[in-house]
Amino acid sequence: MQSYKYQSGFGSYFSSEDPRCPDALPKGQNSPQKCAYGLYAEQLSGTAFTAPRHDNCLTWFYRIRPSVVHSPFTRFEKTKHLARHYDEQFPNPNQLRWKPFDMPTVGKVDFVEGLHTVAGAGDPKSRHGIAIHVFLCNASMENRAFYNSDGDFLIVPQHGVLDITTEFGKMSVKPNEICVIQQGMRFSVNVTGPTRGYILEVFDNHFKLPDLGPIGANGLANKRDFLTPVAWFEDKEVARYEIVSKYQNALFVATQKHSPFDVVAWHGNFVPYKYDLANFMVINSDPSIFTVLTCPSLKPGTAIADFVIFPPRWSVQEHTFRPPYYHRNCMSEFMGLIYGTYEAKEGGFQAGGGSLHSMMTPHGPDKQCFEGASNAVLAPQRVADGTQAFMFESSLSMAVTKWGEETCQKLDAKYYECWQGLEKHFKM
């Protein structure tokens, strides 16, 4: 079994070099006249050069060949369901729920070929917006790497383990873990069979840890629990290696004759990272208190996107209806289930599926949940053991794609029925 090594910390400045090439990192400078081992120096910028120091993100690579060595990009036609824009369908304000998305059973489909856009808003050309995708694959990426010019990918595996090779090193991401591959970072995904998961893509900014406010100095997701891979390289020459780029919501491919994972050493704070959701410190309150990562907008307190989880926890409120309450929201809410049974809808909401409650569309517990919670003895109770649900929440009004509404054939036309049995309890 392959072993993985990581450095810990969120937003930290790291240095790493493959132990096969000691002293590959230059000392006291970034771009020597001649790098050790005959390497090339190359910078990857995650922010503008003039961004304030506390926001500035970059990494210096020391690699066998610079990444500019490739053929011209041409269109990549093998991915059929990645949406170019989000206005192909007439708007639909209804509560939407999807049954589990089908994983491929015929032929070989890798991570890139298995990308399917469910919903989105905005436009990467203006660097404003989000997209929600699912990945449905059954094969590893062979002599193929991918990078996203448009924004950051927050990847949530639901079925199957992702063995991810990046320019920074290797990491393994299993269900109940997440990873973030930031803009421009090249990576390749290996799998061992049918694999499924969700992706939240943001165009505006990078993900950050939410402010803690009155919670104090500790809680929610702690910096020390975020892991970044250590340097690892391969000096691999092949007849054809494909580099697939997502650019302005379209895919392009260039070829080269060597592996892009030839970074011998690197230093910087613009890095990929993973996080185990089991490490989240839960504090019960509104769903916002379950935020793991946020991509803030220019409006204070309002996110382009939040990644929120509903993990196992104690419910102890007195004189309180404990499940999520009925509400209409100025945010859009896409929910997914990694495993288990979500407490507010124990019937039709299934692992590997999803739901979308759009702006100001009412939603809340179904009848069974409401009646049970309204009459339950309010003793301390464990909630969501054996369950991990999550939410991609956004201040943007998302549109559903044709694949999400029609082609996938997973939309549950009877979803609305779970609220129809709610009874009138009014008494004078």
Side-chain angles (χ1 to χ4, degrees), residues 14 23 30 58 75 95 105 154 207 236 262 307:
F14 299 107
D23 299 320
N30 295 320
L58 61 89
R75 291 183 183 179
Q95 302 95 344
T105 56
L154 188 157
F207 288 102
K236 175 182 175 182
D262 61 353
F307 174 62

Side-chain angles (χ1 to χ4, degrees), residues 40-247:
Y40 287 87
E42 178 181 286
Q43 182 177 257
L44 177 65
S45 297
T47 55
F49 291 142
T50 52
R53 182 183 289 265
H54 64 272
D55 286 329
N56 212 298
C57 296
L58 61 89
T59 289
W60 279 94
F61 292 131
Y62 301 93
R63 58 193 319 149
I64 296 172
R65 294 178 182 84
S67 58
V68 72
V69 181
H70 62 76
S71 69
F73 282 100
T74 58
R75 291 183 183 179
F76 184 79
E77 306 289 358
K78 296 181 180 180
T79 303
K80 305 297 184 183
H81 301 293
L82 192 71
R84 286 287 318 281
H85 46 77
Y86 310 116
D87 57 1
E88 56 186 352
Q89 295 289 96
F90 200 79
N92 185 349
N94 287 300
Q95 302 95 344
L96 303 177
R97 181 169 68 189
W98 288 267
K99 299 174 183 179
F101 298 102
D102 289 335
M103 292 176 280
T105 56
V106 178
K108 289 186 176 182
V109 180
D110 69 17
F111 178 88
V112 176
E113 296 165 347
L115 291 173
H116 299 70
T117 308
V118 178
D123 181 3
K125 293 192 294 294
S126 61
R127 296 303 309 279
H128 176 60
I130 66 168
I132 294 173
H133 316 281
V134 292
F135 59 91
L136 309 166
C137 58
N138 62 0
S140 297
M141 294 170 62
E142 297 180 0
N143 290 336
R144 177 182 290 169
F146 176 80
Y147 72 94
N148 186 357
S149 299
D150 295 335
D152 292 3
F153 270 178
L154 188 157
I155 301 173
V156 185
Q158 185 273 321
H159 183 91
V161 178
L162 306 182
D163 180 11
I164 303 177
T165 301
T166 75
E167 294 174 279
F168 300 76
K170 291 175 172 285
M171 56 185 177
S172 175
V173 188
K174 63 181 185 295
N176 210 42
E177 295 180 328
I178 63 167
C179 70
V180 173
I181 310 290
Q182 304 196 74
Q183 184 183 16
M185 297 176 179
R186 298 183 176 192
F187 67 100
S188 183
V189 178
N190 287 345
V191 299
T192 58
T195 304
R196 176 174 57 200
Y198 310 84
I199 298 174
L200 172 60
E201 180 182 13
V202 294
F203 305 143
D204 297 64
N205 208 330
H206 303 302
F207 288 102
K208 298 181 178 180
L209 292 176
D211 291 331
L212 294 175
I215 297 173
N218 304 286
L220 309 187
N222 289 309
K223 289 185 175 182
R224 65 178 296 191
D225 293 324
F226 288 82
L227 303 178
T228 290
V230 298
W232 176 89
F233 77 93
E234 60 181 5
D235 185 7
K236 175 182 175 182
E237 298 188 12
V238 295
R240 178 185 173 90
Y241 202 109
E242 294 184 343
I243 307 295
V244 180
S245 169
K246 181 178 180 292
Y247 177 74

